[in-house]
Amino acid sequence: MPELPEVEAARRTLQAHCVGRRIARCAVADDAKVVVAAAGRAAFERSMVGRTIVAARRRGKNLWLQLDAPPFPSFQFGMAGAIYIKGIPVTKYKRSVVNSEEEWPSKYSKFFAELDDGLEFSFTDKRRFARVRLFDDPETVPPISELGPDALFEPMSVDNFLDSLGRKKIGIKALLLDQSFISGIGNWIADEVLYQSRIHPLQIASNLPRESCEALHRSIQEEWLFHHRWGKKPGKVNGKKIEFITAGGRTTAYVPQLQKLIGTQSSKMIAANLERLEENGDTKDSGTEGEDADILKPKKRASTSRAARGQQNKDTVGAISRKARGNGGGSKKPDADVEPAEPETVVTESNGEQVLDQPNSNAINKSDQVTRRSSRKVKPRK
């Protein structure tokens, strides 16, 4: 999913190669879900032809081209949006899904432009979650007008950052993903800055001490987690184990040895997170190993115990039936005075382990022993 680095890389590439050039030809896709053209595709294309690109602008994960006259095309990247320039790599670390030598423009192209010097570029979106729009002033209308300060271009001062965090009583990961708070921070960047500042993703923002806020503000650049994040690969960073939980509704990588919850929040926050995951039937990312393991161990749950007891009872009844057939044949009815064996039950201890609840030590194994009726006299038949 494109985040601030991908969108900024696209902006810089457009700025370097397209500014000052005139749009000679334009084509937009017949895709009303992605291309928002109130006046129609033909009008959209006509409004672009002959215009000169003055600048490539960005806020958060939204990019737009400032032309010598409005309207301006705006690109919201969504989950798979990308800018491609024919013959020019936009990013060096990411393999391109569009090969300009084999297929150009791509069948996923939503906006295509040819400039007066022959340079061609395209905005593509394979998954159709992106948006291409025309705005007279993109910064004054949604979605751009609703964004918070850009994480790269408009950083808060330390004091303003501390003041903002002190008023937010939500988890820090969820807050960083809120584009109205700071725009441009996505899932993996949030994991990165929290790792660099040694902050647990579920930590309540208003409870952060000043030194943690300052560390988060600096986002010290060390070895990055994203080499391990993709595909939730298990691994270590600087010799310390990476684990995965859900924070802010997103899969989150963190290092328990370095990113600890502060104060009494630990058990409440992680237990609530685990309970929500279990309700959804997904505990794969709950991070149940490492230093938080004791907190994450489930308490006694009635539903689990009942299911376990039901299965154990079935197994016990089956064993008794087989034993009865082995001792006296399957057709022989048990003696009237023989009481059935008390089935073993499963009890879930507070530490999460399941143990068998055995009968008392002085109880008789009634499935193997037949009560003798020696005190009873039977008169012989005449």
Side-chain angles (χ1 to χ4, degrees), residues 202-222:
L202 295 175
Q203 177 67 49
I204 295 297
S206 59
N207 292 343
L208 283 169
R210 183 181 181 89
E211 56 270 22
S212 296
C213 295
E214 291 174 347
L216 180 58
H217 187 267
R218 290 192 303 269
S219 299
I220 300 173
Q221 300 300 305
E222 296 180 2

PDB file of all heavy atoms in Angstrom, residues 202-222:
ATOM      1  N   LEU A 202      -0.011   0.089  21.756  1.00  0.00           N
ATOM      2  CA  LEU A 202      -1.287   0.251  22.457  1.00  0.00           C
ATOM      3  C   LEU A 202      -1.228   1.290  23.578  1.00  0.00           C
ATOM      4  O   LEU A 202      -2.221   1.507  24.273  1.00  0.00           O
ATOM      5  CB  LEU A 202      -1.734  -1.091  23.043  1.00  0.00           C
ATOM      6  CG  LEU A 202      -2.060  -2.190  22.024  1.00  0.00           C
ATOM      7  CD1 LEU A 202      -2.358  -3.505  22.740  1.00  0.00           C
ATOM      8  CD2 LEU A 202      -3.225  -1.791  21.151  1.00  0.00           C
ATOM      9  N   GLN A 203      -0.088   1.924  23.762  1.00  0.00           N
ATOM     10  CA  GLN A 203       0.062   2.923  24.812  1.00  0.00           C
ATOM     11  C   GLN A 203      -0.906   4.085  24.591  1.00  0.00           C
ATOM     12  O   GLN A 203      -1.013   4.624  23.489  1.00  0.00           O
ATOM     13  CB  GLN A 203       1.495   3.453  24.843  1.00  0.00           C
ATOM     14  CG  GLN A 203       1.739   4.545  25.860  1.00  0.00           C
ATOM     15  CD  GLN A 203       1.621   4.015  27.278  1.00  0.00           C
ATOM     16  OE1 GLN A 203       2.206   3.001  27.606  1.00  0.00           O
ATOM     17  NE2 GLN A 203       0.852   4.696  28.097  1.00  0.00           N
ATOM     18  N   ILE A 204      -1.628   4.472  25.654  1.00  0.00           N
ATOM     19  CA  ILE A 204      -2.513   5.630  25.557  1.00  0.00           C
ATOM     20  C   ILE A 204      -1.670   6.884  25.360  1.00  0.00           C
ATOM     21  O   ILE A 204      -0.727   7.140  26.109  1.00  0.00           O
ATOM     22  CB  ILE A 204      -3.387   5.750  26.819  1.00  0.00           C
ATOM     23  CG1 ILE A 204      -4.337   4.546  26.924  1.00  0.00           C
ATOM     24  CG2 ILE A 204      -4.196   7.054  26.792  1.00  0.00           C
ATOM     25  CD1 ILE A 204      -5.327   4.429  25.794  1.00  0.00           C
ATOM     26  N   ALA A 205      -2.019   7.679  24.355  1.00  0.00           N
ATOM     27  CA  ALA A 205      -1.194   8.830  23.987  1.00  0.00           C
ATOM     28  C   ALA A 205      -1.050   9.824  25.133  1.00  0.00           C
ATOM     29  O   ALA A 205       0.040  10.353  25.374  1.00  0.00           O
ATOM     30  CB  ALA A 205      -1.801   9.514  22.761  1.00  0.00           C
ATOM     31  N   SER A 206      -2.134  10.090  25.860  1.00  0.00           N
ATOM     32  CA  SER A 206      -2.083  11.101  26.920  1.00  0.00           C
ATOM     33  C   SER A 206      -1.238  10.663  28.110  1.00  0.00           C
ATOM     34  O   SER A 206      -0.888  11.491  28.950  1.00  0.00           O
ATOM     35  CB  SER A 206      -3.503  11.435  27.392  1.00  0.00           C
ATOM     36  OG  SER A 206      -4.149  10.265  27.879  1.00  0.00           O
ATOM     37  N   ASN A 207      -0.906   9.365  28.194  1.00  0.00           N
ATOM     38  CA  ASN A 207      -0.099   8.869  29.316  1.00  0.00           C
ATOM     39  C   ASN A 207       1.402   8.854  29.016  1.00  0.00           C
ATOM     40  O   ASN A 207       2.183   8.465  29.878  1.00  0.00           O
ATOM     41  CB  ASN A 207      -0.528   7.437  29.689  1.00  0.00           C
ATOM     42  CG  ASN A 207      -1.926   7.402  30.277  1.00  0.00           C
ATOM     43  OD1 ASN A 207      -2.456   8.422  30.694  1.00  0.00           O
ATOM     44  ND2 ASN A 207      -2.535   6.235  30.289  1.00  0.00           N
ATOM     45  N   LEU A 208       1.773   9.256  27.819  1.00  0.00           N
ATOM     46  CA  LEU A 208       3.186   9.219  27.460  1.00  0.00           C
ATOM     47  C   LEU A 208       3.973  10.286  28.221  1.00  0.00           C
ATOM     48  O   LEU A 208       3.554  11.448  28.259  1.00  0.00           O
ATOM     49  CB  LEU A 208       3.363   9.452  25.963  1.00  0.00           C
ATOM     50  CG  LEU A 208       3.042   8.281  25.037  1.00  0.00           C
ATOM     51  CD1 LEU A 208       3.011   8.763  23.588  1.00  0.00           C
ATOM     52  CD2 LEU A 208       4.061   7.164  25.202  1.00  0.00           C
ATOM     53  N   PRO A 209       5.102   9.920  28.816  1.00  0.00           N
ATOM     54  CA  PRO A 209       5.953  10.931  29.450  1.00  0.00           C
ATOM     55  C   PRO A 209       6.626  11.814  28.398  1.00  0.00           C
ATOM     56  O   PRO A 209       6.684  11.463  27.216  1.00  0.00           O
ATOM     57  CB  PRO A 209       6.982  10.101  30.224  1.00  0.00           C
ATOM     58  CG  PRO A 209       7.037   8.795  29.506  1.00  0.00           C
ATOM     59  CD  PRO A 209       5.664   8.561  28.949  1.00  0.00           C
ATOM     60  N   ARG A 210       7.149  12.930  28.853  1.00  0.00           N
ATOM     61  CA  ARG A 210       7.734  13.899  27.919  1.00  0.00           C
ATOM     62  C   ARG A 210       8.870  13.292  27.098  1.00  0.00           C
ATOM     63  O   ARG A 210       8.969  13.526  25.888  1.00  0.00           O
ATOM     64  CB  ARG A 210       8.242  15.122  28.687  1.00  0.00           C
ATOM     65  CG  ARG A 210       8.807  16.198  27.755  1.00  0.00           C
ATOM     66  CD  ARG A 210       9.331  17.407  28.494  1.00  0.00           C
ATOM     67  NE  ARG A 210       9.824  18.397  27.555  1.00  0.00           N
ATOM     68  CZ  ARG A 210       9.115  19.354  26.996  1.00  0.00           C
ATOM     69  NH1 ARG A 210       7.827  19.448  27.287  1.00  0.00           N
ATOM     70  NH2 ARG A 210       9.653  20.213  26.142  1.00  0.00           N
ATOM     71  N   GLU A 211       9.735  12.483  27.749  1.00  0.00           N
ATOM     72  CA  GLU A 211      10.864  11.935  27.012  1.00  0.00           C
ATOM     73  C   GLU A 211      10.417  11.014  25.885  1.00  0.00           C
ATOM     74  O   GLU A 211      11.032  10.968  24.819  1.00  0.00           O
ATOM     75  CB  GLU A 211      11.830  11.200  27.951  1.00  0.00           C
ATOM     76  CG  GLU A 211      11.216  10.090  28.779  1.00  0.00           C
ATOM     77  CD  GLU A 211      10.694  10.569  30.120  1.00  0.00           C
ATOM     78  OE1 GLU A 211      10.426  11.785  30.262  1.00  0.00           O
ATOM     79  OE2 GLU A 211      10.586   9.725  31.037  1.00  0.00           O
ATOM     80  N   SER A 212       9.312  10.268  26.099  1.00  0.00           N
ATOM     81  CA  SER A 212       8.795   9.402  25.035  1.00  0.00           C
ATOM     82  C   SER A 212       8.206  10.227  23.895  1.00  0.00           C
ATOM     83  O   SER A 212       8.371   9.890  22.717  1.00  0.00           O
ATOM     84  CB  SER A 212       7.740   8.449  25.593  1.00  0.00           C
ATOM     85  OG  SER A 212       8.298   7.560  26.529  1.00  0.00           O
ATOM     86  N   CYS A 213       7.523  11.321  24.244  1.00  0.00           N
ATOM     87  CA  CYS A 213       6.966  12.201  23.209  1.00  0.00           C
ATOM     88  C   CYS A 213       8.079  12.821  22.371  1.00  0.00           C
ATOM     89  O   CYS A 213       7.968  12.925  21.145  1.00  0.00           O
ATOM     90  CB  CYS A 213       6.121  13.297  23.850  1.00  0.00           C
ATOM     91  SG  CYS A 213       4.634  12.711  24.691  1.00  0.00           S
ATOM     92  N   GLU A 214       9.152  13.225  23.036  1.00  0.00           N
ATOM     93  CA  GLU A 214      10.274  13.830  22.315  1.00  0.00           C
ATOM     94  C   GLU A 214      10.952  12.794  21.413  1.00  0.00           C
ATOM     95  O   GLU A 214      11.351  13.108  20.283  1.00  0.00           O
ATOM     96  CB  GLU A 214      11.272  14.421  23.305  1.00  0.00           C
ATOM     97  CG  GLU A 214      10.731  15.645  24.041  1.00  0.00           C
ATOM     98  CD  GLU A 214      11.683  16.131  25.113  1.00  0.00           C
ATOM     99  OE1 GLU A 214      12.636  15.380  25.455  1.00  0.00           O
ATOM    100  OE2 GLU A 214      11.478  17.251  25.630  1.00  0.00           O
ATOM    101  N   ALA A 215      11.059  11.549  21.916  1.00  0.00           N
ATOM    102  CA  ALA A 215      11.654  10.489  21.095  1.00  0.00           C
ATOM    103  C   ALA A 215      10.783  10.196  19.882  1.00  0.00           C
ATOM    104  O   ALA A 215      11.289   9.977  18.774  1.00  0.00           O
ATOM    105  CB  ALA A 215      11.846   9.230  21.938  1.00  0.00           C
ATOM    106  N   LEU A 216       9.476  10.186  20.073  1.00  0.00           N
ATOM    107  CA  LEU A 216       8.558   9.956  18.961  1.00  0.00           C
ATOM    108  C   LEU A 216       8.661  11.102  17.956  1.00  0.00           C
ATOM    109  O   LEU A 216       8.621  10.882  16.740  1.00  0.00           O
ATOM    110  CB  LEU A 216       7.132   9.821  19.489  1.00  0.00           C
ATOM    111  CG  LEU A 216       6.019   9.568  18.470  1.00  0.00           C
ATOM    112  CD1 LEU A 216       6.297   8.300  17.693  1.00  0.00           C
ATOM    113  CD2 LEU A 216       4.667   9.497  19.159  1.00  0.00           C
ATOM    114  N   HIS A 217       8.781  12.323  18.451  1.00  0.00           N
ATOM    115  CA  HIS A 217       8.887  13.489  17.581  1.00  0.00           C
ATOM    116  C   HIS A 217      10.157  13.415  16.733  1.00  0.00           C
ATOM    117  O   HIS A 217      10.163  13.758  15.548  1.00  0.00           O
ATOM    118  CB  HIS A 217       8.868  14.761  18.437  1.00  0.00           C
ATOM    119  CG  HIS A 217       8.813  16.026  17.656  1.00  0.00           C
ATOM    120  ND1 HIS A 217       9.940  16.728  17.289  1.00  0.00           N
ATOM    121  CD2 HIS A 217       7.748  16.712  17.144  1.00  0.00           C
ATOM    122  CE1 HIS A 217       9.589  17.800  16.614  1.00  0.00           C
ATOM    123  NE2 HIS A 217       8.261  17.817  16.501  1.00  0.00           N
ATOM    124  N   ARG A 218      11.220  12.960  17.318  1.00  0.00           N
ATOM    125  CA  ARG A 218      12.478  12.853  16.569  1.00  0.00           C
ATOM    126  C   ARG A 218      12.477  11.678  15.600  1.00  0.00           C
ATOM    127  O   ARG A 218      13.065  11.759  14.517  1.00  0.00           O
ATOM    128  CB  ARG A 218      13.654  12.677  17.550  1.00  0.00           C
ATOM    129  CG  ARG A 218      13.977  13.907  18.382  1.00  0.00           C
ATOM    130  CD  ARG A 218      15.316  13.718  19.080  1.00  0.00           C
ATOM    131  NE  ARG A 218      15.350  12.526  19.906  1.00  0.00           N
ATOM    132  CZ  ARG A 218      15.013  12.504  21.189  1.00  0.00           C
ATOM    133  NH1 ARG A 218      14.596  13.605  21.780  1.00  0.00           N
ATOM    134  NH2 ARG A 218      15.068  11.381  21.879  1.00  0.00           N
ATOM    135  N   SER A 219      11.799  10.602  16.008  1.00  0.00           N
ATOM    136  CA  SER A 219      11.772   9.372  15.190  1.00  0.00           C
ATOM    137  C   SER A 219      13.186   9.000  14.741  1.00  0.00           C
ATOM    138  O   SER A 219      13.494   9.001  13.539  1.00  0.00           O
ATOM    139  CB  SER A 219      10.865   9.538  13.967  1.00  0.00           C
ATOM    140  OG  SER A 219       9.546   9.808  14.352  1.00  0.00           O
ATOM    141  N   ILE A 220      14.023   8.695  15.702  1.00  0.00           N
ATOM    142  CA  ILE A 220      15.429   8.418  15.421  1.00  0.00           C
ATOM    143  C   ILE A 220      15.546   7.293  14.408  1.00  0.00           C
ATOM    144  O   ILE A 220      14.928   6.242  14.539  1.00  0.00           O
ATOM    145  CB  ILE A 220      16.165   8.031  16.714  1.00  0.00           C
ATOM    146  CG1 ILE A 220      16.065   9.185  17.717  1.00  0.00           C
ATOM    147  CG2 ILE A 220      17.619   7.667  16.449  1.00  0.00           C
ATOM    148  CD1 ILE A 220      16.601   8.855  19.076  1.00  0.00           C
ATOM    149  N   GLN A 221      16.361   7.479  13.376  1.00  0.00           N
ATOM    150  CA  GLN A 221      16.516   6.502  12.303  1.00  0.00           C
ATOM    151  C   GLN A 221      17.606   5.488  12.657  1.00  0.00           C
ATOM    152  O   GLN A 221      18.790   5.816  12.692  1.00  0.00           O
ATOM    153  CB  GLN A 221      16.872   7.201  10.997  1.00  0.00           C
ATOM    154  CG  GLN A 221      15.820   8.197  10.543  1.00  0.00           C
ATOM    155  CD  GLN A 221      14.470   7.537  10.325  1.00  0.00           C
ATOM    156  OE1 GLN A 221      14.370   6.585   9.575  1.00  0.00           O
ATOM    157  NE2 GLN A 221      13.441   8.032  10.992  1.00  0.00           N
ATOM    158  N   GLU A 222      17.178   4.268  12.925  1.00  0.00           N
ATOM    159  CA  GLU A 222      18.111   3.171  13.169  1.00  0.00           C
ATOM    160  C   GLU A 222      17.751   2.040  12.216  1.00  0.00           C
ATOM    161  O   GLU A 222      17.296   2.299  11.107  1.00  0.00           O
ATOM    162  CB  GLU A 222      18.041   2.741  14.636  1.00  0.00           C
ATOM    163  CG  GLU A 222      18.493   3.845  15.605  1.00  0.00           C
ATOM    164  CD  GLU A 222      18.420   3.424  17.046  1.00  0.00           C
ATOM    165  OE1 GLU A 222      18.052   2.271  17.299  1.00  0.00           O
ATOM    166  OE2 GLU A 222      18.736   4.242  17.905  1.00  0.00           O
TER     167      GLU A 222
END
